[in-house]
Amino acid sequence: SDAETIAVIPGDGIGHEVVPAALRVLEAVDGVDFEFVHVEAGDAVAERTGEPLPEETLAAVTSADATLFGATGETSADVILPLRDAVDSFVNVRPARTYPGVDAVQPETDLVILRENTEGVYAGIENRLSADVSTLTRLVTRSASRRLGEFACDYVADADADGFTVAHKNNVMRVTDGLFVDTIEEVAADRGVEVDDQYMDAMATHLAMNPAEYDVIVCPNLAGDVLSDLAAGLVGGLGLLPSANVGAERGIFEPVHGCAPDIAGEGVANPAATVLSTAMLLDFLDYDGAAAAVRTAVESTLADGPRTPDLGGSATTDELATAIVDRL
Amino acid sequence: SDAETIAVIPGDGIGHEVVPAALRVLEAVDGVDFEFVHVEAGDAVAERTGEPLPEETLAAVTSADATLFGATGETSADVILPLRDAVDSFVNVRPARTYPGVDAVQPETDLVILRENTEGVYAGIENRLSADVSTLTRLVTRSASRRLGEFACDYVADADADGFTVAHKNNVMRVTDGLFVDTIEEVAADRGVEVDDQYMDAMATHLAMNPAEYDVIVCPNLAGDVLSDLAAGLVGGLGLLPSANVGAERGIFEPVHGCAPDIAGEGVANPAATVLSTAMLLDFLDYDGAAAAVRTAVESTLADGPRTPDLGGSATTDELATAIVDRL
Ligand SMILES: CC(C)[C@H](C(=O)O)[C@@H](O)C(=O)O
Ligand SMILES: CC(C)[C@H](C(=O)O)[C@@H](O)C(=O)O
């Protein structure tokens, strides 16, 4: 058939609650008809088989058009880093915004972080040279920086944004972040996109005080990890944040939150971040109308629908999914 | 004479306003009698001589008991990094707290960051391997981690704190941050100090939402750079934050803020961060009473004294210094 294939990895803990909820929404939305391949990854399968990322899962992800990923526990790094690699997802797209009626430290936040997703300190080249000395090789290439820069320019054009801000530390990491910033600025200049840049430490201060100043932020891998979690704190926590690991051919879509062992099994986890991740998946596969419908339904539900306990209500995961489906 | 020698580096911009103001306070406080050696560093001297950090300045800093540093501009990295090196300052102490009557994003913040100050990505070992590829070697040693751990244990004992939290990313930087965390945890265990640890990205979220959960945070160099600037944002900006670069024999004391070219020359810069940095200098030289007196005078001034424009008033730098001196 012509249906796109979606690999589905609930993972651990609340992954088993929020992923099925998101699938209910995905199955209800008009105009899409996916084939789902359900596979395992994370602590539970590692416990059982010794392997947090079974071959079968890797194969499913690399042959699917896109993957919906829930959350994993202790084994997260062993699962998500190889998966990002396997689909060559060169950018991690992390929007952070607030919603009317949802408490936030900085209610005016509405930004997106485009995080380099293949290299930097995540290149994983480490050595213990002696009892005293260890090293890690941080890798920055012109090609990865260029690809991210091109993506950022496309993103800005699509989102009708004014331009983007590059976060970096090129006063200390002169050669590597120098290459990163220079390359991205070259791409932006070629494309006629406005770009400014800021030290990542200064950006942390400004984000905390005035997040509304930012729109699109482009940054190296670890900077993106930290700045996006900071942005998450400003909008009220990880609970509502989706993300997309985007490659040229495939993508992996995951809520930013973890597997929340403290509430797992109670059926009260908020599925909104995972549902919003499916909206990013729909965008990626060019179902723009369906993506917009899902987002609108989530926004409307957050505004005046039932609420899960994280947002002060007592609704269940399923009730929230039903409310979202009803508003599609 | 027996007087300790203090090297004084105003630097650039408002450094020339806040450092003299802080010196007025230091000269007025009871029981201390320093010999000051005034030297230059920064953009202005670089402009004139080609050298942001003249030999004479380096010599003054390495022979002084302590250095009071204002702020520098474009050349900051070329000045402060070699200076930190020259006095082997293995820890950067960065307290972040709010003051009654001073607006803050998170008014409950009162924490201190103990930042590794000699290595990590700041080791400065970078290479451009080809047109496409650049690398930086992140260095983590057991000896530097141990020294920081010992300092943290002493700090916790002095401050009567319950323990400390190590921020790191040892799920990704397994060998290097692994060594960092393991070494510090060993030291803490030997010393009977309570320690917990947290991924630096998760800490960014939690700091933004609940900074009151933290007391003493210990972290690698770049993590400390970013997390301390984040904490600065939460307490209302860099304006009131002092810092200490502490070595075994010498220290360099500097406000966290920069040289603020936009207001330089107007005589309205807030000297509080620099005055609080002199309190850290006094602590370092074991003038505990004088240090406490300076801190109390600053707090009292911030509570109901004149205010500089950054805090919504119209007082000048000198008027603030006078108010602090009057309250000593
Ligand atoms: C689990 C971990 C390896 C991962 C990362 O550092 O990228 C996570 O923090 C994230 O941001 O998705
Ligand atoms: C100027 C720069 C090199 C420096 C640093 O990164 O340490 C500054 O940001 C700081 O935190 O003191």
Side-chain angles (χ1 to χ4, degrees), chain B residues 194-209:
Chain B
E194 255 182 67
V195 55
D196 57 8
D197 74 287
Q198 193 169 37
Y199 295 132
M200 63 186 283
D201 50 333
M203 191 180 283
T205 304
H206 284 99
L207 272 174
M209 298 182 76

Side-chain angles (χ1 to χ4, degrees), chain A residues 72-81 84 92 94 115 117 122 221-222 224-226 228-229 243 245 254-257, chain B residues 169 171-172 174 199 201-202:
Chain A
T72 44
E74 299 288 311
T75 54
S76 286
D78 300 310
V79 174
I80 195 64
L81 299 182
R84 287 176 185 162
N92 193 321
R94 300 197 158 189
R115 166 185 177 187
N117 214 30
Y122 286 71
N221 210 336
L222 185 61
D225 184 49
V226 177
S228 66
D229 269 27
S243 76
N245 300 280
E254 43 164 342
V256 176
H257 63 66
Chain B
K169 191 78 190 179
N171 53 343
V172 172
R174 294 179 186 214
Y199 295 132
D201 50 333

